[in-house]
Amino acid sequence: MPEVRTERLWLRGWRDDDRLPYAALNGDPEVMRHFPATLSPEQSDEMVDRMMAGWATNGFGLWAVERLDDGVFIGFVGLSAPTWSGVPLVEVGWRLARQQWGNGFAPEAALAALAFGFERVALPADEIVSFTTRRNYNSQRVMQKLGMRHDATRDFDHPLLPHWEGRRHVFYVIDRAMWEVASDTGVAR
């Protein structure tokens, strides 16, 4: 699996010692506020296994993220290919430990993931998308910092969450042309 370093972060492969802090992150009600529930340690481990398998299946995936200054695992960032949509998509996503919020780590790492996607992934529609619940304003702000735009025509009720009050999701997108403009002008930073 390729690894990426940013100014402050190392996007790397998953290790067994990431599982405990990742389970703690997924068990934090504040981190999981915009999800139906927190995850048990077993569910969290299953998610790590799926993220690791995604690399083998797709040639891209979700990296474990570590701070370069202190070596602390802080969560995940990367690309995924959601299969539930019925349409081939590549999504940029992230989940970071609450104590790491507000440091600009999500946009920093997600920009590296976008660069990886546009430079090294055969994108089905020459775009990368992201989505979140309508009320997850923090994630929407990260998407905006990445140079993504909200495409209200593609907002949707998440099919895997039919009975959850937060099932309505907003849909953001950045295509190659937008990425190049954002990268050239420094908007995506």
Side-chain angles (χ1 to χ4, degrees), residues 120-177:
R120 300 184 57 188
V121 174
L123 300 170
D126 212 24
E127 67 180 11
I128 298 175
V129 305
S130 196
F131 41 84
T132 190
T133 61
R134 286 181 305 156
R135 294 194 177 114
N136 189 344
Y137 303 115
N138 290 337
S139 280
Q140 291 179 52
R141 181 69 185 123
V142 172
M143 294 170 197
Q144 293 160 6
K145 287 180 180 181
L146 299 175
M148 303 183 92
R149 69 170 169 76
H150 178 211
D151 183 349
T153 65
R154 293 166 80 178
D155 288 356
F156 65 100
D157 291 335
H158 202 299
L160 300 180
L161 308 169
H163 305 292
W164 181 49
E165 65 186 38
R167 70 184 172 274
R168 189 69 180 166
H169 280 55
V170 293
F171 194 97
Y172 280 73
V173 64
I174 187 167
D175 62 26
R176 185 174 304 279

Side-chain angles (χ1 to χ4, degrees), residues 86-99:
V87 177
L89 297 173
V90 174
E91 174 196 9
V92 62
W94 50 86
R95 184 176 306 162
L96 302 181
R98 181 173 19 146
Q99 50 278 38

Side-chain angles (χ1 to χ4, degrees), residues 11 61-65 75-79 92-96 105-106 109-110 113:
L11 286 61
L62 299 164
W63 287 282
V65 179
F76 77 74
V77 174
L79 304 173
V92 62
W94 50 86
R95 184 176 306 162
L96 302 181
F105 292 142

Side-chain angles (χ1 to χ4, degrees), residues 5-170:
R5 288 182 190 255
T6 69
E7 182 179 337
R8 301 177 296 163
L9 303 171
W10 181 19
L11 286 61
R12 59 166 174 75
W14 289 84
R15 302 188 299 232
D16 279 340
D17 62 351
D18 297 326
R19 291 178 183 268
L20 187 58
Y22 188 61
L25 179 158
N26 287 320
D28 183 336
E30 187 61 23
V31 171
M32 301 300 286
R33 180 194 319 170
H34 299 288
F35 292 88
T38 58
L39 300 182
S40 70
E42 295 78 21
Q43 291 169 315
S44 185
D45 281 348
E46 290 169 4
M47 188 175 178
V48 170
D49 294 340
R50 285 192 308 274
M51 288 187 285
M52 290 173 20
W55 280 97
T57 302
N58 300 315
F60 59 87
L62 299 164
W63 287 282
V65 179
E66 180 178 311
R67 290 177 59 151
L68 290 174
D69 62 350
D70 59 12
V72 170
F73 166 86
I74 66 169
F76 77 74
V77 174
L79 304 173
S80 64
T83 56
W84 51 261
S85 71
V87 177
L89 297 173
V90 174
E91 174 196 9
V92 62
W94 50 86
R95 184 176 306 162
L96 302 181
R98 181 173 19 146
Q99 50 278 38
Q100 305 300 327
W101 295 357
N103 294 307
F105 292 142
E108 180 177 331
L111 282 171
L114 286 175
F116 181 88
F118 282 114
E119 293 167 9
R120 300 184 57 188
V121 174
L123 300 170
D126 212 24
E127 67 180 11
I128 298 175
V129 305
S130 196
F131 41 84
T132 190
T133 61
R134 286 181 305 156
R135 294 194 177 114
N136 189 344
Y137 303 115
N138 290 337
S139 280
Q140 291 179 52
R141 181 69 185 123
V142 172
M143 294 170 197
Q144 293 160 6
K145 287 180 180 181
L146 299 175
M148 303 183 92
R149 69 170 169 76
H150 178 211
D151 183 349
T153 65
R154 293 166 80 178
D155 288 356
F156 65 100
D157 291 335
H158 202 299
L160 300 180
L161 308 169
H163 305 292
W164 181 49
E165 65 186 38
R167 70 184 172 274
R168 189 69 180 166
H169 280 55
V170 293

